[in-house]
Amino acid sequence: MNTVITDHTTCLSVVNSISDTMYVIGGKWKVPIIAALREGKCRFNDIQRTLGVISARVLSNELKDLELNGFVQRVVHDKTPVIVEYKLTEYAATLGPVLTALAEWGYHHREKIKREFVQPDLSAAGV
């Protein structure tokens, strides 16, 4: 979105839109959960293993939020034992450009930080 903010109403509209976006996909886990599900259907434990350090309670709450907002669908298979899988909805595909932009920005930011703060200053060592 290349909106040029020229007045208070436009600024307020942009701020509200960004706030709405962050409310729905913000936080530590929602975007990683969506990314984990981009490969296809996953069971709860598979998602938890993929993400590593997320607790079952937090994952359950985040999946419920994502389902409530139309990004994730919970699929229950009538078998014994009951199998529950999660998959992204078609609506979740609308996040594709947003996730791509976040990933690209994150990559460039990480590289910038490595260059500026992590790499030792070799000129001071006479190298």
Side-chain angles (χ1 to χ4, degrees):
M1 180 159 104
N2 293 328
T3 303
V4 176
I5 300 174
T6 58
D7 59 39
H8 177 71
T9 304
T10 304
C11 179
L12 185 59
S13 176
V14 169
V15 168
N16 286 339
S17 296
I18 292 170
S19 293
D20 291 346
T21 302
M22 295 309 296
Y23 177 78
V24 174
I25 65 168
K28 182 176 181 179
W29 295 110
K30 286 187 178 80
V31 171
I33 290 168
I34 291 168
L37 290 171
R38 287 178 92 178
E39 299 301 316
K41 294 181 195 174
C42 288
R43 293 173 71 175
F44 186 92
N45 289 336
D46 296 331
I47 299 168
Q48 192 173 22
R49 259 191 304 279
T50 298
L51 299 178
V53 295
I54 189 170
S55 72
R57 180 173 169 252
V58 170
L59 178 56
S60 177
N61 288 337
E62 296 290 83
L63 285 167
K64 286 176 188 173
D65 284 349
L66 288 168
E67 187 177 11
L68 180 67
N69 283 291
F71 294 111
V72 171
Q73 181 180 0
R74 185 174 185 261
V75 180
V76 180
H77 298 282
D78 261 348
K79 295 181 180 178
T80 305
V82 174
I83 296 174
V84 178
E85 294 179 315
Y86 296 89
K87 68 178 188 175
L88 294 179
T89 63
E90 288 183 27
Y91 181 61
T94 63
L95 287 173
V98 174
L99 297 177
T100 299
L102 284 172
E104 288 175 3
W105 186 90
Y107 172 80
H108 292 297
H109 178 70
R110 181 180 299 260
E111 292 301 310
K112 175 186 183 304
I113 296 300
K114 280 198 266 187
R115 278 191 316 274
E116 293 180 10
F117 299 106
V118 177
Q119 297 292 327
D121 184 5
L122 298 178
S123 64
V127 176

